Amino acid sequence: MGEKIGIIIFKLLNPLFVGPLKKMRSIHSETIAKAMIKLANNNIDQKIFESDQISDLVK
């Protein structure tokens, strides 16, 4: 129940996350999976990625 409420709240708040808050946006699991594949195939050493960086990897 809490997860469903959180999803609804973040769908409403996502457009408000701009500038420094952009890294707090929610992202889809498909985007994460594509970024993981790209990172595994390119041997990138960075270990921690913010959500905006993950989205940029897939673009």
Side-chain angles (χ1 to χ4, degrees), residues 29-40:
S29 57
E30 183 179 334
T31 303
I32 295 171
K34 287 179 181 180
M36 290 173 67
I37 291 169
K38 186 172 184 177
L39 291 170

Side-chain angles (χ1 to χ4, degrees), residues 12-25:
L12 296 172
L13 293 178
N14 255 351
L16 302 176
F17 294 145
V18 293
L21 295 177
K22 186 178 178 182
K23 62 183 169 187
M24 300 300 290
R25 286 185 178 176

Side-chain angles (χ1 to χ4, degrees), residues 32-50:
I32 295 171
K34 287 179 181 180
M36 290 173 67
I37 291 169
K38 186 172 184 177
L39 291 170
N41 289 333
N42 292 318
N43 294 324
I44 297 176
D45 291 331
Q46 186 176 345
K47 303 289 184 206
I48 299 173
F49 293 87
E50 301 288 346

Side-chain angles (χ1 to χ4, degrees), residues 27 31-32 35 49-59:
I27 55 176
T31 303
I32 295 171
F49 293 87
E50 301 288 346
S51 63
D52 59 332
Q53 294 171 318
I54 293 171
S55 296
D56 290 343
L57 283 170
V58 177
K59 290 182 183 177

